[in-house]
Amino acid sequence: MNAAVQTDPAAWHDAGDAPRRRHVHLIDTACASDNLGDEIIMERCRAEVAPLLRDAYVTTSSGHDGLGPSGRRAAAAADLVLMLGTNALSARFRLGSDYMWRIMPRDLAALRGKVVLVGVGGNRDFDRVHPLQRRLLRHILSADHVHSVRDHVALRLLEEIGRKGVMTSCPTLWSVPREMAVAPQARRAVMTLTRHLAHDSDAALLAGLREVYDEVWFWPQQPRDLSHLRDLPGHDGVRVLPPNLAAYDALLAAGPIDVVGTRLHGTIRGLHHGRRALVVEVDHRAREIAGHSGLASIRRDEIAAGTLPDRLRGGWRQRLTLPDDAITAFFGQFDPARSPSRQAATAPLSHSDER
């Protein structure tokens, strides 16, 4: 972003008598993140909001690093600030803390009443919202807009602080076809693991994959996930991808491959390529998103009980049930004429489509 961002509203006018351009500031939670799942979320969020931004002046700052001097000037000049994706909505008091959505005291004036959430999730379940966090969120979140959240934890938090929200599920699913053709088991699989949520069943997960597939790949969504793989018996037979999204996309696009793992968005990425995908439920995010969307999932206790191979050998039809009316209504509040059509996501996708 240009360090010389202006705060004068006249800076966003065309020459002559042309109408003023809207200025929209984006908070990007993939920037400075070590979790490549944030890149997947941000890519889809940016694609989904793009129709709203065709005539806008757009600036961006990092969620992890906070606004900074230039970002603060840009946010202060903006008409609207869009907070894009990830599980950043917290009931704990976060002002000034090192967090995925970093907000400093000096940012408050720039953000006041301007922030609209786009597919943001609750960081964790809660009993109560800290009074100072309630005050912080009421200060920065727009009272004039309906906010898009991806789970009921986030929706309940908004209700607690008196802001309007609608449950839209995760933006990474919005453009996935609602029904995908039954696919046979592939010869290959790619798996993900979550180091900070390691569990004894992870060994059974790897063993089950090696039993079913001729070839097993591993994609480290975070660098530390690779060390967890190397702690598991049988890891020597696993082929490891480079830790970047381009390498993962290339493998998913190269031919039939099943996607199984504990990383929610790494698994959803398989659906973007028309692959069979099965997410392991390791936290409230996977459980809830799978529960309300129909995303194929399996519990860790089921894996520990040895049911994974039979599940993988059987074919299943992926049917997603998403709140399309709520998604359309969320976008429609900005400009009905620019509300993205959800119809493109309703046609079944064949797994034989090697896109």
Side-chain angles (χ1 to χ4, degrees), residues 53-129:
L53 305 178
R54 284 195 294 260
D55 297 331
Y57 177 81
V58 181
T59 51
T60 305
S61 61
S62 166
H64 284 78
D65 285 338
L67 292 179
S70 297
R72 198 171 300 117
R73 288 193 293 269
D79 301 295
L80 197 64
V81 176
L82 299 182
M83 172 63 189
L84 301 178
T86 204
N87 57 327
L89 205 55
S90 176
R92 297 173 58 187
F93 184 48
R94 295 290 188 177
L95 183 64
S97 65
D98 186 9
Y99 186 57
M100 67 184 74
W101 183 12
R102 192 174 191 183
I103 303 170
M104 304 302 291
R106 68 185 67 180
D107 301 335
L108 295 178
L111 297 176
R112 184 175 183 177
K114 290 183 179 181
V115 178
V116 177
L117 306 177
V118 182
V120 176
N123 184 252
R124 61 188 64 189
D125 207 353
F126 62 94
D127 294 322
R128 63 187 286 270
V129 181

Side-chain angles (χ1 to χ4, degrees), residues 229-271:
L229 171 70
R230 289 172 174 164
D231 288 338
L232 299 179
H235 72 272
D236 290 342
V238 177
R239 304 178 68 176
V240 178
L241 282 166
N244 61 70
L245 192 55
Y248 189 40
D249 280 338
L251 178 70
L252 293 172
I257 190 167
D258 291 347
V259 183
V260 184
T262 64
R263 289 292 189 170
L264 175 62
H265 294 99
T267 305
I268 290 174
R269 192 63 165 188
L271 296 180

